Amino acid sequence: MAEETVDPQQPPLSNAKSLPRTEGGGVAGPQGTAAETGSPSDGPAVAERPAGTDRPRGRGGRGGERGDRGGRGGPRRDRGDRDRSSEHVENVIAINRVAKVVKGGRRFSFNALVAVGDGKGKVGIATGKANEVSEAVRKAVEAAKRSMIELPRTGSTIPHEVIGKHGAGRVLLKPAATGTGVIAGGPVRAVLECAGITDILTKSLGSTNPHNMVRATMHGLASLVSARQIARERGVELDQIPYKARQES
């Protein structure tokens, strides 16, 4: 029968029950607690978090360091910042879909007619073409901003009556008294709103095509002149011009 060998450094089993226990619940042996020895069989030591110190969570869900940033895009902007960033009035007048027949079928593209103005006497129109509606509108807006013209105004209306022409389109523009409003159809109204004219009488006398109507309106607005400009060209005083404005400038 083999004899059992006893390690002199290991305490007897009978004494292990009487060893004092530490605050963490481990048994304090001659080499210290189980957390202090760091043996692989005991598992990794986990530090306890004090009570009342939970990790703060922000809007991102990974901690409080991202909560005040408003997400991935940096500081959050309110709606007022977006409104102030665009100083122009943009009106989409017409969007037309064009189909090109190719070998494999039909390929669609879009063109957009857009009017852009600052609401203070400047307005421009342009068209944009692209495979997507949003891209066509963006191109048209950029082109319209580059082709803006400044027109004379008398109060909130135009100085005098004029007829704009383009192709088969003819548009009558007539000044109106204060409070009349914009009496116009869709394409003409979009241009006048961008120009900042709030009192005017209009009538379409020719083609009803939006492109012809809009370009006829722009021709009429570009033909407007003020009484001061006429007096300067004639070399006379403003009082000598027999002109009575519909509104006070």
Side-chain angles (χ1 to χ4, degrees), residues 20-247:
R21 294 184 174 273
T22 61
E23 296 179 358
V27 179
Q31 302 297 332
T33 63
E36 294 174 355
T37 55
S39 59
S41 61
D42 297 332
V46 179
E48 296 183 359
R49 182 180 294 118
T53 59
D54 295 338
R55 178 182 301 175
R57 291 188 176 273
R59 300 184 65 178
R62 291 191 176 183
E65 67 275 4
R66 297 180 61 183
D68 54 350
R69 285 175 28 183
R72 302 179 184 177
R76 182 179 179 182
R77 299 188 306 171
D78 56 357
R79 184 173 298 177
D81 296 339
R82 293 194 298 269
D83 294 341
R84 287 191 295 268
S85 61
S86 179
E87 299 177 356
H88 295 86
V89 181
E90 303 172 1
N91 283 334
V92 179
I93 301 173
I95 295 177
N96 186 30
R97 188 183 70 173
V98 179
K100 179 182 179 181
V101 180
V102 294
K103 184 177 181 180
R106 289 185 296 177
R107 183 175 301 170
F108 294 100
S109 62
F110 300 89
N111 60 60
L113 177 63
V114 176
V116 178
D118 61 351
K120 301 177 182 178
K122 284 187 176 182
V123 64
I125 63 167
T127 58
K129 300 178 182 180
N131 295 330
E132 299 291 338
V133 176
S134 59
E135 185 68 13
V137 172
R138 185 190 64 81
K139 289 182 178 180
V141 169
E142 292 181 357
K145 289 180 180 179
R146 294 192 299 265
S147 64
M148 294 176 64
I149 62 173
E150 188 172 1
L151 53 98
R153 294 184 301 168
T154 304
S156 59
T157 187
I158 57 178
H160 57 86
E161 180 179 334
V162 67
I163 296 179
K165 300 178 182 180
H166 179 82
R170 297 174 64 241
V171 175
L172 169 66
L173 305 176
K174 197 172 182 179
T178 304
T180 303
V182 178
I183 309 301
V188 180
R189 175 185 293 270
V191 177
L192 297 176
E193 288 179 352
C194 293
I197 298 175
T198 57
D199 299 307
I200 192 172
L201 301 172
T202 67
K203 175 64 179 177
S204 176
L205 304 175
S207 172
T208 58
N209 185 290
H211 292 262
N212 289 338
M213 293 179 64
V214 166
R215 284 174 170 81
T217 304
M218 290 296 298
H219 175 262
L221 294 178
S223 303
L224 294 174
V225 291
S226 62
R228 192 178 303 276
Q229 181 179 352
I230 295 296
R232 185 172 58 254
E233 292 176 355
R234 294 181 182 180
V236 298
E237 296 295 332
L238 182 61
D239 300 336
Q240 299 179 4
I241 301 228
Y243 167 74
K244 183 178 180 181
R246 187 68 174 173
Q247 294 184 14

